[in-house]
Amino acid sequence: MSLKALKQKALQNDMVRIEYEKLAGEFDLMNQLITMRTSAGLTQEQLAKRIGTAKGNISRLERGKGNPSWATLEKYANACGYQVKLQTVLDKLSSA
């Protein structure tokens, strides 16, 4: 079974789907970080050197392990040629 098929099957379970949706913001951030780095043509090691940290820190950040500061996110984005922007949206799960 492919990962995509497994995900679709798991999300049919209401409890799994609700928990997955609660983590959507984290998944989005991880995907954005990886997309920024790869679109800049950088490896994790190259990015780490640019912002003065260890490759393992970049790896953990991209896997959603840890709690990065705003400054860390700015350094990461700037090194990839991006800026960080905070945007708020109505929480559909809380307002239902």
Side-chain angles (χ1 to χ4, degrees):
M1 177 179 291
S2 72
L3 181 59
K4 184 176 181 179
L6 180 63
K7 178 181 172 183
Q8 287 177 336
K9 183 176 180 177
L11 291 177
Q12 290 174 357
N13 178 311
D14 287 338
M15 288 176 43
V16 171
R17 184 181 42 76
I18 289 167
E19 290 303 313
Y20 181 84
E21 288 172 356
K22 286 180 184 177
L23 296 172
E26 288 184 51
F27 292 139
D28 288 345
L29 176 60
M30 292 183 308
N31 286 331
Q32 287 178 12
L33 292 171
I34 294 167
T35 299
M36 282 190 292
R37 180 178 54 77
T38 57
S39 70
L42 298 171
T43 65
Q44 288 181 342
E45 188 170 345
Q46 291 168 328
L47 178 59
K49 285 180 183 177
R50 282 191 182 187
I51 65 174
T53 192
K55 177 187 176 282
N57 292 334
I58 300 299
S59 176
R60 279 189 291 282
L61 186 62
E62 292 180 353
R63 288 183 288 127
K65 306 293 181 192
N67 191 10
S69 66
W70 184 262
T72 298
L73 293 174
E74 283 185 315
K75 285 180 189 178
Y76 186 109
N78 293 165
C80 295
Y82 289 82
Q83 293 180 339
V84 176
K85 177 182 174 183
L86 178 64
Q87 179 181 2
T88 59
V89 294
L90 182 61
D91 184 352
K92 295 177 185 176
L93 295 176
S94 294
S95 63

